[in-house]
Amino acid sequence: MELTINQQSRYFDKAPESLAALLASEVGVLRKGTAVAVNNKVIPAVEWAETTLSDKDHILIITATQGG
């Protein structure tokens, strides 16, 4: 399976079970301040565990940082 994550192609032998599983492996932990879009559609955090991914999906992960 090929996924584009933050404009970088990634190949997976085994498809992630859900968006939440992908985020756990890519971001490390699911935390507040993280926003995710799949194919330009924002996915609410309450739907991450139910959201399945397909080959060639484009995923944007944005994590808020502190500073000024």
Side-chain angles (χ1 to χ4, degrees), residues 26-51:
E26 292 299 311
V27 178
V29 293
L30 301 178
R31 57 184 172 215
K32 287 186 176 184
T34 300
V36 182
V38 177
N39 300 324
N40 295 318
K41 180 184 176 212
V42 175
I43 308 297
V46 296
E47 296 178 13
W48 292 353
E50 306 152 4
T51 301

Side-chain angles (χ1 to χ4, degrees), residues 2-67:
E2 179 184 2
L3 298 173
T4 301
I5 303 170
N6 291 353
Q7 300 179 343
Q8 295 183 1
S9 293
R10 296 281 312 272
Y11 298 91
F12 296 85
D13 291 330
K14 182 181 176 194
E17 295 177 12
S18 66
L19 179 58
L22 176 74
L23 292 172
S25 68
E26 292 299 311
V27 178
V29 293
L30 301 178
R31 57 184 172 215
K32 287 186 176 184
T34 300
V36 182
V38 177
N39 300 324
N40 295 318
K41 180 184 176 212
V42 175
I43 308 297
V46 296
E47 296 178 13
W48 292 353
E50 306 152 4
T51 301
T52 57
L53 301 171
S54 300
D55 191 40
K56 307 284 189 206
D57 277 348
H58 290 264
I59 300 157
L60 179 64
I61 304 169
I62 299 172
T63 304
T65 57
Q66 196 172 356

